[in-house]
Amino acid sequence: MSARALAEKLDAVPGIGPATAQIILAETGAGMSRFPTPEHLVSWAKLCPRTIQSGAKNTAGPAGQGNPWLKGALGEAAYAAARTDTFLGARYRRIVRRRGHAKALVAVARSILVIAWHLINEPDASYQELGSDWHQRHLNPTRKTRDLVRQLQALGHQVTLEPAAA
């Protein structure tokens, strides 16, 4: 597949424009034979968290430097995608509440790079938007009910559940 066709496929992803698509292709190459899995590409780009182990203690560390041009382009794409009403924008908003702005942007940049790996590696693949409500649609109501009951019990409340009249 030509680089122009790959750039057009990448341009369909929220946050990725023509220039960002060209940077991704220039830095990773048009063939993904060097990266057998998306995790290999993410690790090479240094968009995965490090685990620092000392004895029995594990702590998270900085991801590392990586390829500055690829990381910069993905950072801009993640910032643009975070401001959209798409799956990637919803992912940013879910993560930023508990982890902060910088870590949420790195997580969205990682997601964009994984999507790019699949689009480049699989010739007949195309980007399908999941929608900003994907997490809400795939919520397990039984699990959510159980978690909320546990939280209320931990606060000292006695909980009795009754089905709502429909």
Side-chain angles (χ1 to χ4, degrees), residues 43-68:
S43 178
W44 175 79
K46 298 285 193 271
L47 286 172
C48 56
R50 258 182 29 192
T51 302
I52 300 170
Q53 182 179 8
S54 177
K57 180 177 159 186
N58 290 328
T59 58
Q65 295 299 316
N67 185 321

Side-chain angles (χ1 to χ4, degrees), residues 24 27-28 32 34-47 70 113-114 116-118 120:
I24 291 171
E27 297 302 325
T28 62
M32 287 288 144
R34 296 188 322 167
F35 309 108
T37 64
E39 288 77 22
H40 282 87
L41 177 58
V42 167
S43 178
W44 175 79
K46 298 285 193 271
L47 286 172
L70 179 62
L113 191 58
V114 169
W117 183 90
H118 284 287
I120 295 170

